[in-house]
Amino acid sequence: QVQLVESGGGLVQPGGSLRLSCAASGSILRTAAMGWYRQAPGKQLELVADIRSGGSTRYADSVKGRFTISRDNFKNMVFLQMNSLNSENTAVYYCNLGQWGYNYWGPGTQVTVSS
């Protein structure tokens, strides 16, 4: 079993920054991929960024240059630094972990960008 818990969401003004954290517990493989997805109101779930165990990353085009994903393999944590936020980034952000063909999800954390 794998459990994921996100933290760090909240209300931020346009142009501001937030750092999301996700702690994974349970049977975690060192080769697990971890990432962040989001779902805005009325929209589908979409990939924001993910990171492999070796450190390779990929980002949604809309967040490149503003968001940075990182992970701590020893603590089984993944982070998402979000800068220059705008209203289009308002969504529930979900932490994801993939291993052995299974996907695990956290409960999500709300990010609201508004003045």
Side-chain angles (χ1 to χ4, degrees), residues 30-73:
R30 294 180 62 85
T31 56
M34 299 186 76
W36 292 92
Y37 287 71
R38 68 185 177 190
Q39 187 166 26
K43 294 188 177 181
Q44 291 185 330
L45 187 70
E46 65 173 352
L47 173 70
V48 179
D50 65 13
I51 183 166
R52 302 289 169 172
S53 59
S56 62
T57 60
R58 60 175 178 168
Y59 294 89
D61 288 342
S62 62
V63 308
K64 285 179 181 177
R66 299 187 298 120
F67 290 13
T68 303
I69 190 170
S70 60
R71 66 189 285 170
D72 184 330
N73 289 331

Side-chain angles (χ1 to χ4, degrees), residues 1-6 22-29 32-37 45 78 94-108:
Q1 277 287 33
V2 173
Q3 294 81 39
L4 303 173
V5 178
E6 305 98 338
C22 173
S25 60
S27 301
I28 311 296
L29 296 175
M34 299 186 76
W36 292 92
Y37 287 71
L45 187 70
V78 64
Y94 297 92
C95 179
N96 171 269
L97 184 147
Q99 61 181 21
W100 290 119
Y102 290 94
N103 274 297
Y104 300 91
W105 299 91

